[in-house]
Amino acid sequence: METLKTHAVHGGTLRYLRHDSATTGTPMTLSVFTPPGEGPFPVLIWLSGLTCTEDNFTTKAGAYAAAAEHGVIIVAPDTSPRGEGVADDPAYDLGQGAGFYVDATEAPWAKHFRMESYVVGELIGLVDAEFPTTKARSISGHSMGGHGALTLALRHPHLFRSVSAFAPISSPTRCPWGEKAFTAYLGPDRAVWEAHDAARLIETGVGEGCYDDILVDQGDADPFLVEQLKPELLVAAGAAVGQKVTLRMQPGYDHSYFFMASFIADHVAFHAARLKA
């Protein structure tokens, strides 16, 4: 990996990195915060939302004081492949910056848009090889990245100790963002989509018994709450199968990083307790 820049923060080190990805066939960028000390440390992977790069969480979430306190590495990858020759769309909710953490099967997306395989395969292996990790890891994210965190944790429970989300797209098969992206990336068969829908996965018992709790924070002033996010579907799915889902509705909070910055320390502590158990 090529180090693009380095910053000291809260006694630890923040690195911006770039590498050539065999999975996406493109350069991929990410940030990695390592806490003070020699380690080894457990890892929290953060997945960001629509239009974001690795920089949004890194500069806006204010997560590193808590990560330093609890001794946790935080890895924040970009949200999609990018560059010349990579398929794109003029809309903000499809294409570059909108990978949805799935492996696309449809043209023109399938060549590069393989974000599920990138995160659970290449990224994890790269971080474990390059940094002093304990190989214990958790996952979290926001909005589209909250969808990604939930679905990847449920689909690959052997890889993660815990999962949480901020304002996740809880059931993308039942909202406009998800229907648009899944039609483009996965084709018209809605049965295929359900394998990438957190609420549907919980309903069918995927990941059953792997997580003692799923922590979700949601602002009640979020403009996307009713049409796109639908966290009540996660709660209902969990109740149907006995999966604990802790949904914290936060009064007055919206969809921005001000919301995440207000509660990110709770999420880091939630994961740290399970990563070190």
Side-chain angles (χ1 to χ4, degrees):
M1 283 196 292
E2 176 189 2
T3 300
L4 303 177
K5 52 185 176 179
T6 302
H7 301 282
V9 55
H10 292 291
T13 303
L14 175 66
R15 295 174 175 87
Y16 284 86
L17 304 157
R18 179 171 57 208
H19 70 103
D20 291 328
S21 169
T23 305
T24 67
T26 66
M28 292 294 292
T29 52
L30 65 150
S31 73
V32 178
F33 171 79
T34 50
E38 296 183 2
F41 308 104
V43 176
L44 176 60
I45 295 175
W46 173 270
L47 304 181
S48 291
L50 291 168
T51 75
C52 291
T53 70
E54 76 284 355
D55 198 41
N56 297 74
F57 173 86
T58 304
T59 58
K60 296 179 180 180
Y64 301 130
E69 176 188 351
H70 292 285
V72 174
I73 290 172
I74 299 185
V75 177
D78 199 353
T79 56
S80 78
R82 301 178 192 268
E84 186 177 349
V86 177
D88 201 8
D89 189 275
Y92 76 95
D93 54 357
L94 190 67
Q96 296 183 36
F100 267 83
Y101 305 102
V102 300
D103 289 352
T105 58
E106 304 299 300
W109 313 103
K111 182 177 180 181
H112 299 295
F113 280 72
R114 304 186 65 241
M115 288 302 294
E116 177 172 11
S117 290
Y118 174 72
V119 173
V120 303
E122 188 171 10
L123 179 66
I124 285 174
L126 194 62
V127 169
D128 282 346
E130 297 285 339
F131 292 91
T133 78
T134 63
K135 297 185 169 57
R137 69 191 70 83
S138 296
I139 191 165
S140 186
H142 169 237
S143 195
M144 177 187 73
H147 141 77
L150 292 167
T151 56
L152 297 188
L154 292 165
R155 286 167 57 83
H156 306 276
H158 61 291
L159 293 177
F160 304 104
R161 294 274 186 91
S162 54
V163 57
S164 73
F166 286 84
I169 303 172
S170 298
S171 188
T173 64
R174 291 175 277 186
C175 77
W177 278 341
E179 290 174 339
K180 178 179 180 178
F182 285 4
T183 299
Y185 298 146
L186 303 175
D189 186 350
R190 297 181 73 96
V192 173
W193 301 1
E194 293 194 357
H196 303 278
D197 180 311
R200 297 296 195 194
L201 290 170
I202 292 171
E203 285 173 359
T204 55
V206 175
E208 184 177 359
C210 293
Y211 302 110
D212 67 320
D213 192 6
I214 296 173
L215 175 61
V216 177
D217 271 309
Q218 172 66 61
D220 72 0
D222 190 321
F224 305 112
L225 174 59
V226 174
E227 184 180 27
Q228 303 282 12
L229 305 177
K230 304 183 179 184
E232 70 278 2
L233 297 177
L234 277 182
V235 175
V241 299
Q243 169 64 60
K244 184 178 181 183
V245 177
T246 298
L247 173 62
R248 305 195 308 183
M249 294 299 299
Q250 303 292 2
Y253 285 88
D254 58 20
H255 201 69
S256 72
Y257 268 88
F258 295 111
F259 165 49
M260 279 166 279
S262 301
F263 301 103
I264 191 67
D266 292 352
H267 285 245
V268 173
F270 173 86
H271 293 296
R274 289 155 178 80
L275 286 165
K276 298 178 180 182

